[in-house]
Amino acid sequence: LNELDDAEIDVIDPSLPPLLRGHPDIHLRSGVIKASRLAAQSEHNAEKAFFVADLGQVYRQHQRWKRFLPGIEPFYAVKCNPDPFVLRLLAALGAGFDCASSGEISQVLQIGGVDPSKIIFANPCKATSFIRNAAKSGVDMMTFDNGDELYKIARVHPKARLVIRILTDDSKSLCRLGLKFGAPLVTVPGLLRKAKELGLNVVGVSFHVGSGCYDSNAFSDAIMRARSAFDMGKEAGYDFTVLDVGGGFEDGNFETNASVLSSAIDRYFPVRESIRIIAEPGRFYVSKAFRLAANIIARRAPMGDCSDQRSDVDSSQPTVMYYINDGVYGAFNCILFDHQVVHPYVLSMGGSFHLPSPVILRASSVWGPTCDSIDCVCPVTQLPAQLSVGDWLAFENMGAYTICAASQFNGFEISSVIYTDGGGSGSAEVRRALGRG
Ligand code: PLP
C-alpha cells in the first residue's frame, strides 16, 4: 500500500477544492499552486491528467448502504470500476462481488481473503470456459436467463447454484439492460422445468432495473415480479433462498430508492427468514469518489484580443475551443457509453487557484486530445475568457464506468489514479481496513 502512503497530503488550506485536497503533489501556499514533486519530473509527467480517488467516500457509501438497506448484502459490481484499492477496501469491509468474467473473478480472488461464496458470476450469457473456470475457483453462484446456458452449466459446472435473471421494467434508467438480458416472466416456468430436468440447482431470482435508475417504482415493480418468479420456483419443485435485487442505485436518490425497495420487500416477502437478499451496486459506491483533473494542452480562439466581446456574435455559441489531455476515448468514454453529461470547473489558472475578479465568462467547448472529431467532452460550457494553455480543469463524479472502459487510442495513456483517504470522516477506518492502522 505504498501508493496510499504516498497519498498522505500536506493540507495547508482546508478551503481547498476537494480535488486539490487529494493531490499529493500539490501544496498550496498563499493560494499559489506549487507542484513540488511534479516540478522535479518531466514536462510530460507534470501536465498528465490524473484522477484523485477518495477512498473515504467509498467507505461512507458503504456505511450509508448498511444504514438504509441493512438486510441487503452488497455484492459490488466490479465492472463499474475494478480499481484495486476500491476492491481491497470493499473486501476488507465484508462486501461481496458481482463479477462478469473470469478476469474479474481472478482479480477479486487475488485480493486474498475473499471467499468464493462472496462472488456471484452475474453474467447470464457466459463462455463455457468461463463457467469451467468458475467451477475450478469454487465460484458456484451464477445467473442465467436462457435454456442454452443451462445446458452449458449442466456440462461443466453441474453443482452450480443458479439464479434466474428475470426481465423487469428498465425504461426509467440511464442504461437499459433489459434489451440484452432477463427472462420474461412467461418463460420462467419453462426454464425452471428444463433446469429440473437437467438436475440443476436453482436457488433464487435476480433482476436489474437498469443502471442509473431514476424512478423508484421500478424497484417495487421488480420485487413484485420476483415474487411471482419465487412462486413459479415452488411449482417447479424448488425452494428459492436467494433474492438478488441487482444494481441501479444512484447517489442522489439512494434513500428514496432504498425506502421504496424495503417497503416492497416487506410487502411481497413478509416471511423471509430463509431468504438471503443480496444486491449488485456499482455506480452508487464509486461515482462520487473519483474526480479527474485535466490539463489544457491546446486552445483555438479567435486571433487577437481573446477577451474581446463583439456585439454581433451569438454569445451562447462557443467561440473558444479548449483541448484537454483526456477525452471520450479515455475517461470520458462515459459520455458515449454511459450517457453522461460532464461539467468542467476551473482548478487553476495562470498557476493560481484564485480566479481573477471579475471573471468574464465565455461560451466555450472542451475537446479530448485525439484526432477524432467525436472526441468532444463538452459541446458548450461557460469558462473564463482568461483560461489558456497550461491551466487545469476538473470534473466531479468520474468514478463509475470511466477508467474501466478507457482505451489508448491514438497512443494516449489512460489517466493514472492518486489515492487519498479523504482526510474526513471515515479516513481512519479506511486506513485500518487497508491495514495502514
Ligand atoms: N449487475 C449487473 C448484472 C450489471 O450489468 C450492472 C451494470 O451494468 C450492475 C450490476 C451495476 O449496476 P449499477 O452500476 O447501476 O449499480
Side-chain angles (χ1 to χ4, degrees), residues 77 79-80 98 122 165 177 208 210-212 247-249 280-283 401:
K79 60 183 79 75
C80 180
D98 150 13
R165 166 120 164 229
L177 300 169
H208 197 305
S211 193
F249 301 89
E280 302 164 3
R283 192 186 300 280
Y401 306 104

Side-chain angles (χ1 to χ4, degrees), residues 68-80:
F68 289 96
L69 290 172
I72 304 184
E73 291 172 57
F75 278 51
Y76 172 68
V78 175
K79 60 183 79 75
C80 180

